[in-house]
Amino acid sequence: MAIPHSQLRRLLMVLSIAAWVGLARQTHTVWESRADIHESLASDALPIYLSGAAVIDGGDPTQAHDLIMAYERRGMGTGALFFSTLYPASVGVMVAPMAQQPWVDFLGIWRFLVLLGAAVAGVAGGLASVRGPRAWLAAPLGGLIVMAGFPLLSQSMGLGQANLLIAGLVGLSILGLSRGWAAMAGSAAAVGVALKLVPGLLFWPMVMARRWRSIIVGGVTGLLLLGWTLSSVSLE
């Protein structure tokens, strides 16, 4: 005997609500674990903070001397000086407003963005793979897979690894491509490139699929970020 369509829709609604609640609880559990890694040991977040601090100080976040000076001016009190000249200058420009906060406050904001990026990556993956009412169930299930299925997620969030935030931007770009949302696809890819160059690979399938609107939006977003960077940093 076939189940009436109305009952299937109610069942789908109940399962979707349960999945969203489960995702919220699991995300909160991961967030609470951030205290397991002391702020003095957040070795991945500190270089990003110093990039923003160097921009605030009028320096160049791609130069080691300016990053060291930003560290010394703030009396960080961390276990060691972690910095990187490999991040593009645009990273320092984008995080400079947050880097005006003390290190501990910046770290809290950055960890939240990293965790949000991980959740968005899973949710976007679910939405990109399923259409129709089932997407309301696929979206939180995708987030749950990320939140509960990756044992190193808490550690990555605690350290402040930017890759999780980049994963969220990549997920948004792929979702935009799958749904025909040109603005989302292009802008998310461009912001990802401003954080690390690897997401630039997303523009290749856009070219092959002739998603010109996404490419144009990405190009405009990239030019705006480039202009912001050049106006904020005196690159040597």
Side-chain angles (χ1 to χ4, degrees), residues 123-150:
V123 170
L127 287 174
S129 60
V130 177
R131 300 290 183 94
R134 292 183 301 165
W136 289 102
L137 178 59
L141 288 180
L144 273 172
I145 290 173
V146 173
M147 287 294 154
F150 292 87

Side-chain angles (χ1 to χ4, degrees), residues 97-111:
M98 294 189 301
Q100 294 179 3
Q101 305 295 321
W103 158 241
V104 174
D105 295 336
F106 170 88
L107 181 59
I109 298 171
W110 182 251
R111 281 174 168 173

Side-chain angles (χ1 to χ4, degrees), residues 13-14 19 60 83 86-87 112-113 123 139 143 147 157 164 177 199:
M13 181 181 298
V14 171
D60 182 352
F83 68 89
L86 299 180
Y87 285 108
F112 174 78
L113 291 176
V123 170
M147 287 294 154
M157 185 266 296
L164 294 177
L177 287 174

